[in-house]
Amino acid sequence: MQATTWSVPKKNTALDISRELSTTTFSMLVAQLASFINREGVVFTMHRAINKTRQLAGFLQRFQSTLVVAEHNNDKLTPITLSAITAANKLGGEVSCLVAGTDCAKVVAELSKVLGVNKVLVAQHDAFKGALPEELTPIILATQQQFKFTHICAGASAFGKNLLPRVAAKLDVAPISDIIEIQSPDTFVRTIYAGNALSTVKCNESVKVFTVRGTAFEPAASEGGSATSEDVASSSAVGVSEWLEQNLSKSDRPELAGAKVVVSGGRGLKSGENFQLLYDLAETMNAAVGASRAAVDAGYVPNDMQVGQTGKIVAPELYIAVGISGAIQHLAGMKDSKTIVAINKDPEAPIFLVSDFGLVADLFKAVPEMTAALRK
Ligand SMILES: Cc1cc2nc3c(=O)[nH]c(=O)nc-3n(C[C@H](O)[C@H](O)[C@H](O)COP(=O)(O)OP(=O)(O)OC[C@H]3O[C@@H](n4cnc5c(N)ncnc54)[C@H](O)[C@@H]3O)c2cc1C
C-alpha cells in the first residue's frame, strides 16, 4: 500500500516504532506535540522535545536495514548495483548485498571492498544460472525471513525490473519502481509521464521494495570497504523455467549505459549502413553508440541501442544527438546528460531546446568533418 496517510504503531517500544513509522512521520508527531506544549507557553519544553526528536530520528534511522540484490555475471558486478548501494546508504542503517549465482566468488570479493556494504550474503546453486526471477525469488524471500530487512532494492535494469515486482508480490507489498531520489526511509521520488512530472511516493508497507535508477545515484566507491561475507542456504530449484542460452551482441565500444560519451543517431541517418558515420565518430572519442526508437524500428540498428523511455536511460558527460528530432520519449532517456550536442538540419527541431550546443547542418556533411577533425 502506498499512501499519504500513516498509521500509529500498536506498540510503542523504540524498536516497534522504527518498524512501523518513518522517522519523518515520527518527527511530525513529536513536533505537533511540541507545538501544543508551546501554546500552553512552555517554550523550553518544546525545544527539548524537538532536540529529543532529532536524536530519536537518528536513533531510528540506525534501525533501517537494506538488502541490495546484486546484479552480476558471476565474474563482475554490473555498475548499476553500485548506484543501488549508494541509494541504500541514503536510507541509513546496515546495507547487505545478496550475491546469488553459480560460481560467484569473484563478485563476492569485489563487493566486499565496496564502500558502504556491511555484509555480503552468498547463495550458490546451479538453478541461479541466468538469474531467472522464478529461481531467485525464493532465496530472496528466505533471506528476508531470516534477516527482516526494512528495505529490499536492486537497480532498475532488466534484471531488477524482472525480479523485484515478483518479490514484492510474494511479500504482498506494492513495489516502487525506478526511484530517482530518497527523501526519507519511506518517501521516494520517481518520474512519471516520460519524465515530465515527478511523483513523490510515501510507502506504508512493512518492507519497502524498490528499484533504483542508475543515473540518479553516483556509484558507490569500489574500494575502501571491508564487508564480511556469509553463506545463505539455497533451497532446491523451483524448476518452472529453464535457462537455455543468451546471445549478446559483441562490441569493442563502451557499454551504452555506463559510457562517458554517447553518440546517438535517429531516423535522419536514413539507413543502417549510414550508422557507420557514427561508429567512426564514436571511435575517435571512445564513445558508445545509441539510437532513437525510430532508427531501431526502421531496422537500422538492434534494439539494445535504443535510448529513451522504452530503451536505456543514459546520463553521460557528453551526448551527441545526430538526426534526432527530440521527442519527449527520447528526451526521457538522455536529458540528464551533462552536455548535450545536437546536429539537425531543421532549426526548429525540439532537440535544440534541451541542447547546450546545436549545429544546424546536414549530418552527412557535418559528421565526417567532425570525425576528420578529431582524428588529426
Ligand atoms: C510509448 C512510446 C514510447 C517511446 N519510446 C521511445 C524511446 O524509448 N526512444 C525514442 O527515441 N523514441 C521513443 N518513442 C518514439 C518517439 O515518439 C519518436 O517517434 C522518436 O523518438 C523519433 O525518432 P527520431 O528523432 O529519430 O525521428 P524523427 O522524429 O523522424 O526525426 C528525425 C530528425 O532527423 C532530422 N534529419 C533528417 N535528415 C537529416 C540530415 N540529413 N541532417 C541532419 N538532420 C536530419 C530531421 O530534421 C528530424 O528532426 C516512443 C513513442 C511512444 C509512443
Side-chain angles (χ1 to χ4, degrees):
M1 182 181 55
Q2 292 159 10
T4 48
T5 53
W6 44 274
S7 59
V8 176
K10 292 176 199 87
K11 301 174 212 135
N12 62 357
T13 63
L15 192 66
D16 286 329
I17 287 168
S18 79
R19 296 275 181 222
E20 296 191 45
L21 276 186
S22 76
T23 48
T24 33
T25 306
F26 189 70
S27 307
M28 276 168 49
L29 197 68
V30 181
Q32 274 173 11
L33 182 69
S35 89
F36 172 74
I37 293 166
N38 191 30
R39 278 208 301 276
E40 299 297 304
V42 193
V43 178
F44 173 71
T45 313
M46 182 188 84
H47 284 305
R48 242 187 26 195
I50 287 173
N51 283 338
K52 209 78 202 142
T53 307
R54 286 204 183 112
Q55 282 170 13
L56 255 169
F59 172 73
L60 292 178
Q61 215 157 21
R62 287 203 292 276
F63 280 98
Q64 310 299 327
S65 60
T66 304
L67 177 69
V68 178
V69 186
E71 180 180 352
H72 62 92
N73 60 1
N74 286 310
D75 194 46
K76 260 196 106 22
L77 204 57
T78 308
I80 198 166
T81 302
L82 295 175
S83 301
I85 290 169
T86 301
N89 273 295
K90 286 195 189 303
L91 294 162
E94 285 232 325
V95 174
S96 303
C97 288
L98 175 67
V99 180
T102 48
D103 183 11
C104 44
K106 274 190 187 164
V107 181
V108 175
E110 189 185 345
L111 253 178
S112 305
K113 286 190 253 154
V114 173
L115 201 61
V117 176
N118 301 95
K119 198 189 287 176
V120 182
L121 303 168
V122 190
Q124 305 207 64
H125 197 291
D126 279 351
F128 298 150
K129 198 162 100 187
L132 297 173
E134 295 85 346
E135 297 295 348
L136 292 187
T137 301
I139 187 71
I140 296 170
L141 297 178
T143 311
Q144 171 62 12
Q145 178 72 24
Q146 186 180 349
F147 294 96
K148 309 270 186 279
F149 297 104
T150 55
H151 298 74
I152 300 176
C153 73
S157 57
F159 168 83
K161 289 179 189 171
N162 210 9
L163 178 61
L164 285 207
R166 189 180 187 93
V167 171
K170 292 285 184 185
L171 290 170
D172 197 22
V173 301
I176 306 166
S177 56
D178 211 5
I179 63 146
I180 60 162
E181 191 191 327
I182 292 174
Q183 289 190 344
S184 75
D186 66 358
T187 308
F188 307 88
V189 181
R190 57 187 300 273
T191 60
I192 52 173
Y193 299 115
N196 282 305
L198 297 179
S199 158
T200 302
V201 182
K202 183 160 183 153
C203 176
N204 289 342
E205 304 288 11
S206 52
V207 188
K208 280 91 178 148
V209 177
F210 60 95
T211 56
V212 174
R213 181 174 293 189
T215 55
F217 295 87
E218 286 296 320
S222 50
E223 294 289 335
S226 55
T228 55
S229 68
E230 186 179 315
D231 285 341
V232 285
S234 32
S235 47
S236 50
V238 176
V240 291
S241 54
E242 191 189 350
W243 175 258
L244 297 180
E245 60 172 346
Q246 72 177 6
N247 293 305
L248 295 176
S249 48
K250 292 195 178 70
S251 164
D252 294 335
R253 280 184 294 276
E255 212 268 312
L256 186 55
K260 288 203 161 55
V261 182
V262 173
V263 180
S264 272
R267 188 158 21 211
L269 265 295
K270 296 191 170 56
S271 74
E273 290 74 53
N274 289 338
F275 260 76
Q276 190 57 45
L277 292 173
L278 301 193
Y279 300 141
D280 293 343
L281 178 61
E283 199 185 85
T284 64
M285 296 181 281
N286 191 30
V289 178
S292 71
R293 177 158 159 182
V296 170
D297 287 351
Y300 301 168
V301 288
N303 71 355
D304 61 354
M305 286 172 63
Q306 185 178 318
V307 172
Q309 184 190 346
T310 43
K312 291 192 173 135
I313 311 269
V314 299
E317 297 293 322
L318 174 61
Y319 187 88
I320 306 177
V322 182
I324 292 178
S325 59
I328 53 162
Q329 295 90 353
H330 187 78
L331 301 187
M334 46 62 76
K335 68 177 163 36
D336 290 333
S337 305
K338 309 290 176 294
T339 303
I340 299 172
V341 173
I343 303 173
N344 198 303
K345 67 177 182 184
D346 174 7
E348 302 294 321
I351 191 76
F352 289 127
L353 298 175
V354 296
S355 60
D356 301 282
F357 300 95
L359 180 63
V360 180
D362 185 335
L363 71 91
F364 295 103
K365 189 169 177 298
V367 174
E369 281 177 7
M370 274 176 75
T371 308
L374 285 160
R375 276 187 181 149
K376 273 187 193 151

